[in-house]
Amino acid sequence: AVTNRFFENYADHLLDNTKVYPHVKETLSKLSGYKKAVVSNKREFFSKTILDRLGISEFFDSVFGSDSVPEKKPSPVPILKLFEIFNVTRNEALIIGDSNYDIESGRAAGIKTVAVTYGFRSREVLKDADYIIDSFNELLNVITQINETNAQ
């Protein structure tokens, strides 16, 4: 009963303090050649609803929430499941996130990690990421660096 009331209230206020960060839409539009997924610790329905209402769901091929797979971040399970769905290897994947759970999940899955500093965690908490960016459009340079390293 309490849980249901919480979820009803949460659903009514999903976007109260949620917005798309600068450069996200433009950057995602430049990454159309890549498969992209959202892995959230929010429930899948809420994650999809937020992406829809923000007008960015079209950029993602898959959306996982905390109830999509048996374990959630910082477990590597959601990422490993996406490897299967997209038929990719660890060398072809990276995770971008604003929390230590994103970085820990990526490390546990054996993939490159990119931390963004403009979320809810301090740079210190994100220090274990392979790359740290202060603006989402810096992701394009990171992907270029990773591709060049993988090509060698």
CSV table of all heavy atoms in Angstrom, one decimal, residues 16-76:
chain,number,residue,atom,x,y,z
A,16,ASP,N,9.7,16.9,-12.2
A,16,ASP,CA,9.8,18.1,-11.4
A,16,ASP,C,11.2,18.8,-11.3
A,16,ASP,O,11.3,20.0,-11.4
A,16,ASP,CB,9.3,17.9,-9.9
A,16,ASP,CG,7.8,17.7,-9.9
A,16,ASP,OD1,7.1,17.8,-10.9
A,16,ASP,OD2,7.3,17.5,-8.7
A,17,ASN,N,12.2,17.9,-11.2
A,17,ASN,CA,13.5,18.4,-11.1
A,17,ASN,C,14.4,17.7,-12.1
A,17,ASN,O,15.6,17.5,-11.9
A,17,ASN,CB,14.1,18.2,-9.7
A,17,ASN,CG,13.3,19.0,-8.7
A,17,ASN,OD1,13.3,20.2,-8.7
A,17,ASN,ND2,12.7,18.3,-7.7
A,18,THR,N,13.8,17.3,-13.3
A,18,THR,CA,14.6,16.6,-14.3
A,18,THR,C,14.6,17.4,-15.6
A,18,THR,O,13.5,17.8,-16.0
A,18,THR,CB,13.9,15.2,-14.5
A,18,THR,OG1,13.9,14.5,-13.2
A,18,THR,CG2,14.7,14.4,-15.5
A,19,LYS,N,15.7,17.5,-16.2
A,19,LYS,CA,15.8,18.2,-17.5
A,19,LYS,C,17.0,17.6,-18.2
A,19,LYS,O,17.9,16.9,-17.6
A,19,LYS,CB,16.0,19.7,-17.3
A,19,LYS,CG,17.3,20.1,-16.6
A,19,LYS,CD,17.4,21.6,-16.4
A,19,LYS,CE,18.6,22.1,-15.9
A,19,LYS,NZ,19.7,21.8,-15.2
A,20,VAL,N,17.0,17.8,-19.5
A,20,VAL,CA,18.2,17.3,-20.3
A,20,VAL,C,19.3,18.2,-20.1
A,20,VAL,O,19.2,19.5,-20.2
A,20,VAL,CB,17.8,17.2,-21.8
A,20,VAL,CG1,18.9,16.8,-22.7
A,20,VAL,CG2,16.6,16.3,-22.0
A,21,TYR,N,20.5,17.7,-19.8
A,21,TYR,CA,21.7,18.5,-19.7
A,21,TYR,C,22.1,19.2,-21.0
A,21,TYR,O,21.7,18.6,-22.1
A,21,TYR,CB,22.8,17.7,-19.1
A,21,TYR,CG,22.7,17.4,-17.6
A,21,TYR,CD1,22.5,16.1,-17.2
A,21,TYR,CD2,22.8,18.4,-16.7
A,21,TYR,CE1,22.3,15.8,-15.8
A,21,TYR,CE2,22.7,18.1,-15.3
A,21,TYR,CZ,22.4,16.8,-14.9
A,21,TYR,OH,22.3,16.6,-13.6
A,22,PRO,N,22.8,20.3,-21.0
A,22,PRO,CA,23.3,20.9,-22.2
A,22,PRO,C,24.1,19.9,-23.1
A,22,PRO,O,24.8,19.1,-22.6
A,22,PRO,CB,24.2,22.0,-21.7
A,22,PRO,CG,23.7,22.3,-20.3
A,22,PRO,CD,23.2,21.0,-19.8
A,23,HIS,N,23.9,20.0,-24.4
A,23,HIS,CA,24.6,19.3,-25.4
A,23,HIS,C,24.3,17.8,-25.5
A,23,HIS,O,24.8,17.1,-26.4
A,23,HIS,CB,26.2,19.4,-25.2
A,23,HIS,CG,26.6,20.8,-25.0
A,23,HIS,ND1,26.6,21.8,-26.0
A,23,HIS,CD2,27.2,21.5,-24.0
A,23,HIS,CE1,27.1,22.9,-25.6
A,23,HIS,NE2,27.4,22.8,-24.3
A,24,VAL,N,23.3,17.4,-24.8
A,24,VAL,CA,23.0,15.9,-24.8
A,24,VAL,C,22.3,15.6,-26.1
A,24,VAL,O,22.7,14.7,-26.8
A,24,VAL,CB,22.1,15.5,-23.6
A,24,VAL,CG1,21.5,14.1,-23.8
A,24,VAL,CG2,23.0,15.6,-22.3
A,25,LYS,N,21.2,16.3,-26.5
A,25,LYS,CA,20.5,16.0,-27.7
A,25,LYS,C,21.4,16.1,-28.9
A,25,LYS,O,21.4,15.2,-29.8
A,25,LYS,CB,19.3,16.9,-27.9
A,25,LYS,CG,18.1,16.6,-27.0
A,25,LYS,CD,16.9,17.4,-27.3
A,25,LYS,CE,15.8,17.1,-26.3
A,25,LYS,NZ,14.6,17.9,-26.6
A,26,GLU,N,22.2,17.2,-29.0
A,26,GLU,CA,23.0,17.3,-30.2
A,26,GLU,C,24.1,16.2,-30.3
A,26,GLU,O,24.4,15.7,-31.4
A,26,GLU,CB,23.8,18.7,-30.2
A,26,GLU,CG,22.9,19.9,-29.9
A,26,GLU,CD,22.7,20.2,-28.4
A,26,GLU,OE1,21.8,19.6,-27.8
A,26,GLU,OE2,23.5,21.0,-27.9
A,27,THR,N,24.6,15.9,-29.1
A,27,THR,CA,25.7,14.8,-29.1
A,27,THR,C,25.1,13.5,-29.5
A,27,THR,O,25.6,12.7,-30.3
A,27,THR,CB,26.4,14.8,-27.8
A,27,THR,OG1,26.9,16.1,-27.5
A,27,THR,CG2,27.5,13.7,-27.7
A,28,LEU,N,23.9,13.1,-28.9
A,28,LEU,CA,23.3,11.9,-29.2
A,28,LEU,C,22.9,11.8,-30.7
A,28,LEU,O,23.1,10.7,-31.3
A,28,LEU,CB,22.0,11.7,-28.3
A,28,LEU,CG,22.2,11.4,-26.9
A,28,LEU,CD1,20.9,11.4,-26.1
A,28,LEU,CD2,23.0,10.1,-26.7
A,29,SER,N,22.5,12.9,-31.3
A,29,SER,CA,22.2,12.9,-32.7
A,29,SER,C,23.4,12.6,-33.6
A,29,SER,O,23.2,12.1,-34.7
A,29,SER,CB,21.5,14.2,-33.1
A,29,SER,OG,22.4,15.2,-33.1
A,30,LYS,N,24.6,12.9,-33.1
A,30,LYS,CA,25.8,12.6,-33.8
A,30,LYS,C,26.3,11.2,-33.6
A,30,LYS,O,27.3,10.8,-34.3
A,30,LYS,CB,26.9,13.6,-33.4
A,30,LYS,CG,26.6,15.1,-33.8
A,30,LYS,CD,27.6,16.0,-33.3
A,30,LYS,CE,27.2,17.4,-33.7
A,30,LYS,NZ,28.1,18.4,-33.1
A,31,LEU,N,25.6,10.4,-32.8
A,31,LEU,CA,26.1,9.1,-32.5
A,31,LEU,C,25.1,8.0,-33.0
A,31,LEU,O,24.9,6.9,-32.5
A,31,LEU,CB,26.2,8.9,-31.0
A,31,LEU,CG,27.3,9.8,-30.3
A,31,LEU,CD1,27.2,9.6,-28.8
A,31,LEU,CD2,28.7,9.4,-30.8
A,32,SER,N,24.4,8.4,-34.2
A,32,SER,CA,23.4,7.5,-34.7
A,32,SER,C,24.0,6.2,-35.2
A,32,SER,O,23.3,5.2,-35.3
A,32,SER,CB,22.7,8.2,-35.8
A,32,SER,OG,23.6,8.5,-36.9
A,33,GLY,N,25.3,6.1,-35.4
A,33,GLY,CA,25.9,4.9,-35.9
A,33,GLY,C,26.2,3.9,-34.8
A,33,GLY,O,26.7,2.8,-35.0
A,34,TYR,N,25.9,4.3,-33.6
A,34,TYR,CA,26.2,3.4,-32.4
A,34,TYR,C,24.9,3.0,-31.7
A,34,TYR,O,23.9,3.7,-31.7
A,34,TYR,CB,27.0,4.2,-31.3
A,34,TYR,CG,28.4,4.6,-31.8
A,34,TYR,CD1,28.6,5.8,-32.4
A,34,TYR,CD2,29.5,3.8,-31.5
A,34,TYR,CE1,29.9,6.2,-32.8
A,34,TYR,CE2,30.7,4.2,-31.9
A,34,TYR,CZ,30.9,5.4,-32.6
A,34,TYR,OH,32.2,5.7,-33.0
A,35,LYS,N,24.9,1.8,-31.2
A,35,LYS,CA,23.8,1.3,-30.4
A,35,LYS,C,23.9,2.0,-29.0
A,35,LYS,O,25.0,2.1,-28.5
A,35,LYS,CB,23.8,-0.2,-30.2
A,35,LYS,CG,23.6,-1.0,-31.5
A,35,LYS,CD,22.2,-1.0,-31.9
A,35,LYS,CE,21.9,-1.8,-33.1
A,35,LYS,NZ,20.6,-1.7,-33.6
A,36,LYS,N,22.8,2.4,-28.5
A,36,LYS,CA,22.8,3.1,-27.2
A,36,LYS,C,21.7,2.6,-26.3
A,36,LYS,O,20.6,2.3,-26.8
A,36,LYS,CB,22.6,4.6,-27.4
A,36,LYS,CG,23.8,5.3,-28.2
A,36,LYS,CD,23.6,6.7,-28.5
A,36,LYS,CE,22.5,6.9,-29.6
A,36,LYS,NZ,22.7,6.2,-30.9
A,37,ALA,N,22.0,2.5,-25.1
A,37,ALA,CA,21.0,2.0,-24.1
A,37,ALA,C,21.1,2.9,-22.8
A,37,ALA,O,22.1,3.5,-22.5
A,37,ALA,CB,21.3,0.6,-23.7
A,38,VAL,N,20.0,2.9,-22.1
A,38,VAL,CA,20.0,3.5,-20.8
A,38,VAL,C,19.9,2.4,-19.8
A,38,VAL,O,19.1,1.4,-19.9
A,38,VAL,CB,18.8,4.4,-20.6
A,38,VAL,CG1,18.6,4.9,-19.2
A,38,VAL,CG2,18.9,5.7,-21.5
A,39,VAL,N,20.8,2.4,-18.8
A,39,VAL,CA,20.7,1.5,-17.7
A,39,VAL,C,20.5,2.3,-16.4
A,39,VAL,O,21.4,3.1,-16.0
A,39,VAL,CB,22.0,0.7,-17.5
A,39,VAL,CG1,22.0,-0.2,-16.3
A,39,VAL,CG2,22.3,-0.1,-18.8
A,40,SER,N,19.3,2.2,-15.9
A,40,SER,CA,18.9,3.1,-14.7
A,40,SER,C,18.6,2.2,-13.5
A,40,SER,O,18.2,1.0,-13.7
A,40,SER,CB,17.7,3.9,-15.1
A,40,SER,OG,17.3,4.7,-14.0
A,41,ASN,N,18.8,2.7,-12.3
A,41,ASN,CA,18.3,2.0,-11.1
A,41,ASN,C,16.9,2.4,-10.8
A,41,ASN,O,16.3,2.0,-9.8
A,41,ASN,CB,19.3,2.2,-10.0
A,41,ASN,CG,20.5,1.3,-10.1
A,41,ASN,OD1,20.6,0.5,-10.9
A,41,ASN,ND2,21.5,1.6,-9.2
A,42,LYS,N,16.3,3.3,-11.6
A,42,LYS,CA,14.8,3.5,-11.5
A,42,LYS,C,14.1,2.4,-12.2
A,42,LYS,O,14.7,1.7,-13.1
A,42,LYS,CB,14.5,4.8,-12.3
A,42,LYS,CG,14.9,6.1,-11.7
A,42,LYS,CD,14.5,7.3,-12.6
A,42,LYS,CE,14.9,8.6,-12.0
A,42,LYS,NZ,16.3,8.8,-11.8
A,43,ARG,N,12.9,2.2,-11.9
A,43,ARG,CA,12.1,1.1,-12.6
A,43,ARG,C,12.0,1.5,-14.1
A,43,ARG,O,12.0,2.6,-14.5
A,43,ARG,CB,10.7,1.0,-12.0
A,43,ARG,CG,10.8,0.4,-10.6
A,43,ARG,CD,9.6,-0.3,-10.3
A,43,ARG,NE,9.7,-0.9,-9.0
A,43,ARG,CZ,8.8,-1.6,-8.4
A,43,ARG,NH1,7.6,-1.6,-8.9
A,43,ARG,NH2,9.0,-2.2,-7.2
A,44,GLU,N,12.0,0.4,-14.9
A,44,GLU,CA,12.0,0.6,-16.4
A,44,GLU,C,10.9,1.5,-16.9
A,44,GLU,O,11.1,2.4,-17.7
A,44,GLU,CB,11.9,-0.8,-17.1
A,44,GLU,CG,11.9,-0.7,-18.6
A,44,GLU,CD,11.8,-2.1,-19.3
A,44,GLU,OE1,12.5,-3.0,-18.8
A,44,GLU,OE2,11.1,-2.2,-20.3
A,45,PHE,N,9.7,1.3,-16.4
A,45,PHE,CA,8.5,2.2,-16.8
A,45,PHE,C,8.9,3.7,-16.6
A,45,PHE,O,8.6,4.5,-17.4
A,45,PHE,CB,7.2,1.8,-16.1
A,45,PHE,CG,6.1,2.8,-16.3
A,45,PHE,CD1,5.4,2.7,-17.5
A,45,PHE,CD2,5.8,3.7,-15.3
A,45,PHE,CE1,4.4,3.7,-17.7
A,45,PHE,CE2,4.8,4.6,-15.5
A,45,PHE,CZ,4.1,4.6,-16.7
A,46,PHE,N,9.4,4.0,-15.4
A,46,PHE,CA,9.7,5.4,-15.1
A,46,PHE,C,10.8,5.9,-15.9
A,46,PHE,O,10.8,7.0,-16.4
A,46,PHE,CB,10.0,5.5,-13.6
A,46,PHE,CG,8.9,5.2,-12.6
A,46,PHE,CD1,9.0,4.4,-11.6
A,46,PHE,CD2,7.7,5.9,-12.8
A,46,PHE,CE1,8.0,4.1,-10.7
A,46,PHE,CE2,6.6,5.6,-12.0
A,46,PHE,CZ,6.8,4.7,-10.9
A,47,SER,N,11.8,5.1,-16.2
A,47,SER,CA,12.9,5.5,-17.0
A,47,SER,C,12.4,5.8,-18.4
A,47,SER,O,12.8,6.8,-19.0
A,47,SER,CB,14.0,4.4,-17.1
A,47,SER,OG,14.5,4.1,-15.8
A,48,LYS,N,11.6,4.9,-19.0
A,48,LYS,CA,11.1,5.1,-20.3
A,48,LYS,C,10.2,6.4,-20.4
A,48,LYS,O,10.3,7.2,-21.3
A,48,LYS,CB,10.3,3.9,-20.8
A,48,LYS,CG,11.2,2.7,-21.2
A,48,LYS,CD,10.4,1.6,-21.7
A,48,LYS,CE,11.4,0.5,-22.2
A,48,LYS,NZ,10.6,-0.7,-22.6
A,49,THR,N,9.4,6.6,-19.4
A,49,THR,CA,8.5,7.7,-19.3
A,49,THR,C,9.3,9.0,-19.3
A,49,THR,O,9.0,10.0,-20.0
A,49,THR,CB,7.6,7.6,-18.1
A,49,THR,OG1,6.8,6.4,-18.2
A,49,THR,CG2,6.6,8.8,-18.0
A,50,ILE,N,10.3,9.0,-18.5
A,50,ILE,CA,11.2,10.2,-18.4
A,50,ILE,C,11.8,10.5,-19.7
A,50,ILE,O,11.8,11.7,-20.2
A,50,ILE,CB,12.3,10.1,-17.3
A,50,ILE,CG1,11.6,10.1,-15.9
A,50,ILE,CG2,13.3,11.1,-17.4
A,50,ILE,CD1,12.5,9.6,-14.7
A,51,LEU,N,12.4,9.5,-20.4
A,51,LEU,CA,13.0,9.7,-21.7
A,51,LEU,C,12.0,10.2,-22.7
A,51,LEU,O,12.3,11.1,-23.5
A,51,LEU,CB,13.7,8.4,-22.1
A,51,LEU,CG,14.9,8.0,-21.3
A,51,LEU,CD1,15.3,6.6,-21.7
A,51,LEU,CD2,16.1,8.9,-21.4
A,52,ASP,N,10.8,9.7,-22.7
A,52,ASP,CA,9.8,10.1,-23.6
A,52,ASP,C,9.4,11.6,-23.4
A,52,ASP,O,9.4,12.4,-24.3
A,52,ASP,CB,8.5,9.3,-23.4
A,52,ASP,CG,8.6,7.9,-24.1
A,52,ASP,OD1,9.5,7.7,-25.0
A,52,ASP,OD2,7.8,7.0,-23.7
A,53,ARG,N,9.2,11.9,-22.1
A,53,ARG,CA,8.7,13.3,-21.8
A,53,ARG,C,9.8,14.3,-22.1
A,53,ARG,O,9.6,15.5,-22.3
A,53,ARG,CB,8.3,13.4,-20.4
A,53,ARG,CG,7.0,12.6,-20.1
A,53,ARG,CD,6.4,12.8,-18.7
A,53,ARG,NE,5.3,12.0,-18.5
A,53,ARG,CZ,4.8,11.8,-17.3
A,53,ARG,NH1,5.3,12.4,-16.2
A,53,ARG,NH2,3.7,11.0,-17.1
A,54,LEU,N,11.1,13.9,-21.9
A,54,LEU,CA,12.2,14.8,-22.2
A,54,LEU,C,12.5,14.9,-23.7
A,54,LEU,O,13.3,15.7,-24.2
A,54,LEU,CB,13.5,14.3,-21.5
A,54,LEU,CG,13.5,14.5,-20.0
A,54,LEU,CD1,14.7,13.9,-19.4
A,54,LEU,CD2,13.3,15.9,-19.6
A,55,GLY,N,11.8,14.0,-24.5
A,55,GLY,CA,12.0,14.0,-26.0
A,55,GLY,C,13.3,13.4,-26.5
A,55,GLY,O,13.8,13.8,-27.5
A,56,ILE,N,13.9,12.5,-25.7
A,56,ILE,CA,15.1,11.9,-26.1
A,56,ILE,C,15.1,10.3,-26.2
A,56,ILE,O,16.1,9.7,-26.5
A,56,ILE,CB,16.3,12.3,-25.2
A,56,ILE,CG1,16.1,11.9,-23.8
A,56,ILE,CG2,16.6,13.8,-25.3
A,56,ILE,CD1,17.3,12.1,-22.8
A,57,SER,N,13.9,9.7,-26.1
A,57,SER,CA,13.8,8.3,-26.1
A,57,SER,C,14.2,7.8,-27.5
A,57,SER,O,14.7,6.6,-27.6
A,57,SER,CB,12.4,7.8,-25.7
A,57,SER,OG,11.4,8.4,-26.6
A,58,GLU,N,14.0,8.6,-28.6
A,58,GLU,CA,14.3,8.1,-29.9
A,58,GLU,C,15.8,7.8,-30.1
A,58,GLU,O,16.1,7.1,-31.0
A,58,GLU,CB,13.9,9.2,-30.9
A,58,GLU,CG,14.8,10.5,-30.8
A,58,GLU,CD,14.3,11.7,-31.6
A,58,GLU,OE1,14.7,11.7,-32.8
A,58,GLU,OE2,13.6,12.5,-31.1
A,59,PHE,N,16.6,8.3,-29.2
A,59,PHE,CA,18.1,8.1,-29.4
A,59,PHE,C,18.5,6.8,-28.8
A,59,PHE,O,19.7,6.4,-29.1
A,59,PHE,CB,18.8,9.2,-28.7
A,59,PHE,CG,18.6,10.6,-29.3
A,59,PHE,CD1,17.9,11.6,-28.6
A,59,PHE,CD2,19.1,10.9,-30.6
A,59,PHE,CE1,17.7,12.8,-29.2
A,59,PHE,CE2,18.9,12.1,-31.2
A,59,PHE,CZ,18.2,13.1,-30.5
A,60,PHE,N,17.7,6.0,-28.1
A,60,PHE,CA,18.1,4.8,-27.4
A,60,PHE,C,17.4,3.6,-28.0
A,60,PHE,O,16.3,3.6,-28.3
A,60,PHE,CB,17.8,5.0,-25.9
A,60,PHE,CG,18.6,6.1,-25.3
A,60,PHE,CD1,17.9,7.3,-25.1
A,60,PHE,CD2,19.9,6.0,-25.0
A,60,PHE,CE1,18.7,8.4,-24.5
A,60,PHE,CE2,20.6,7.0,-24.5
A,60,PHE,CZ,20.0,8.2,-24.2
A,61,ASP,N,18.3,2.5,-28.2
A,61,ASP,CA,17.8,1.3,-28.7
A,61,ASP,C,17.2,0.4,-27.6
A,61,ASP,O,16.5,-0.5,-27.9
A,61,ASP,CB,19.0,0.6,-29.4
A,61,ASP,CG,19.6,1.4,-30.5
A,61,ASP,OD1,19.0,1.5,-31.5
A,61,ASP,OD2,20.7,2.0,-30.2
A,62,SER,N,17.6,0.6,-26.4
A,62,SER,CA,17.1,-0.2,-25.3
A,62,SER,C,17.1,0.6,-24.0
A,62,SER,O,17.9,1.5,-23.8
A,62,SER,CB,18.0,-1.4,-25.1
A,62,SER,OG,17.5,-2.3,-24.1
A,63,VAL,N,16.2,0.3,-23.1
A,63,VAL,CA,16.2,1.0,-21.8
A,63,VAL,C,16.0,-0.1,-20.7
A,63,VAL,O,15.0,-0.8,-20.8
A,63,VAL,CB,15.0,2.0,-21.7
A,63,VAL,CG1,14.9,2.6,-20.3
A,63,VAL,CG2,15.2,3.1,-22.8
A,64,PHE,N,16.9,-0.1,-19.8
A,64,PHE,CA,16.8,-1.1,-18.7
A,64,PHE,C,16.6,-0.3,-17.4
A,64,PHE,O,17.2,0.7,-17.2
A,64,PHE,CB,18.1,-1.9,-18.5
A,64,PHE,CG,18.3,-3.1,-19.4
A,64,PHE,CD1,17.3,-3.4,-20.3
A,64,PHE,CD2,19.4,-3.9,-19.2
A,64,PHE,CE1,17.5,-4.5,-21.1
A,64,PHE,CE2,19.5,-5.0,-20.0
A,64,PHE,CZ,18.6,-5.3,-21.0
A,65,GLY,N,15.7,-0.8,-16.6
A,65,GLY,CA,15.5,-0.2,-15.3
A,65,GLY,C,15.9,-1.3,-14.2
A,65,GLY,O,16.3,-2.3,-14.6
A,66,SER,N,15.7,-0.9,-13.0
A,66,SER,CA,16.1,-1.8,-11.9
A,66,SER,C,15.3,-3.1,-11.9
A,66,SER,O,15.7,-4.1,-11.4
A,66,SER,CB,15.8,-1.1,-10.5
A,66,SER,OG,14.4,-0.8,-10.4
A,67,ASP,N,14.1,-3.1,-12.6
A,67,ASP,CA,13.3,-4.4,-12.7
A,67,ASP,C,13.5,-5.1,-14.0
A,67,ASP,O,12.7,-6.0,-14.3
A,67,ASP,CB,11.9,-4.0,-12.4
A,67,ASP,CG,11.3,-2.9,-13.3
A,67,ASP,OD1,12.1,-2.1,-13.8
A,67,ASP,OD2,10.1,-2.8,-13.5
A,68,SER,N,14.4,-4.7,-14.9
A,68,SER,CA,14.6,-5.3,-16.2
A,68,SER,C,15.4,-6.5,-16.2
A,68,SER,O,15.2,-7.4,-17.0
A,68,SER,CB,15.2,-4.3,-17.2
A,68,SER,OG,14.5,-3.1,-17.2
A,69,VAL,N,16.3,-6.6,-15.3
A,69,VAL,CA,17.2,-7.8,-15.1
A,69,VAL,C,17.3,-8.1,-13.6
A,69,VAL,O,17.0,-7.2,-12.8
A,69,VAL,CB,18.6,-7.5,-15.7
A,69,VAL,CG1,18.5,-7.5,-17.3
A,69,VAL,CG2,19.2,-6.2,-15.2
A,70,PRO,N,17.8,-9.3,-13.3
A,70,PRO,CA,17.8,-9.7,-11.9
A,70,PRO,C,18.7,-8.8,-10.9
A,70,PRO,O,18.4,-8.8,-9.7
A,70,PRO,CB,18.4,-11.1,-11.9
A,70,PRO,CG,18.3,-11.6,-13.3
A,70,PRO,CD,18.3,-10.3,-14.1
A,71,GLU,N,19.7,-8.1,-11.4
A,71,GLU,CA,20.5,-7.3,-10.6
A,71,GLU,C,20.6,-5.9,-11.2
A,71,GLU,O,20.4,-5.7,-12.3
A,71,GLU,CB,21.9,-7.9,-10.5
A,71,GLU,CG,21.9,-9.2,-9.8
A,71,GLU,CD,23.3,-9.8,-9.7
A,71,GLU,OE1,24.3,-9.1,-9.6
A,71,GLU,OE2,23.5,-11.1,-9.8
A,72,LYS,N,20.9,-4.9,-10.3
A,72,LYS,CA,21.0,-3.5,-10.8
A,72,LYS,C,22.4,-3.0,-10.5
A,72,LYS,O,23.2,-3.7,-9.8
A,72,LYS,CB,20.0,-2.6,-10.1
A,72,LYS,CG,20.0,-2.6,-8.6
A,72,LYS,CD,18.8,-1.7,-8.1
A,72,LYS,CE,18.9,-1.7,-6.6
A,72,LYS,NZ,17.8,-0.9,-6.0
A,73,LYS,N,22.8,-1.8,-11.1
A,73,LYS,CA,24.1,-1.3,-10.8
A,73,LYS,C,24.3,-1.1,-9.3
A,73,LYS,O,23.4,-0.8,-8.6
A,73,LYS,CB,24.2,0.1,-11.5
A,73,LYS,CG,24.0,0.1,-13.0
A,73,LYS,CD,24.1,1.5,-13.6
A,73,LYS,CE,22.9,2.4,-13.1
A,73,LYS,NZ,22.9,3.7,-13.7
A,74,PRO,N,25.5,-1.4,-8.8
A,74,PRO,CA,26.8,-1.5,-9.5
A,74,PRO,C,27.1,-2.9,-10.1
A,74,PRO,O,28.2,-3.1,-10.5
A,74,PRO,CB,27.8,-1.1,-8.4
A,74,PRO,CG,27.1,-1.6,-7.2
A,74,PRO,CD,25.7,-1.4,-7.4
A,75,SER,N,26.1,-3.8,-10.1
A,75,SER,CA,26.4,-5.1,-10.7
A,75,SER,C,26.6,-4.9,-12.2
A,75,SER,O,26.0,-4.1,-12.8
A,75,SER,CB,25.1,-6.0,-10.5
A,75,SER,OG,25.2,-7.1,-11.3
A,76,PRO,N,27.4,-5.8,-12.8
A,76,PRO,CA,27.6,-5.8,-14.2
A,76,PRO,C,26.5,-6.4,-15.0
A,76,PRO,O,26.5,-6.4,-16.2
A,76,PRO,CB,28.9,-6.5,-14.4
A,76,PRO,CG,28.9,-7.6,-13.3
A,76,PRO,CD,28.3,-6.8,-12.1
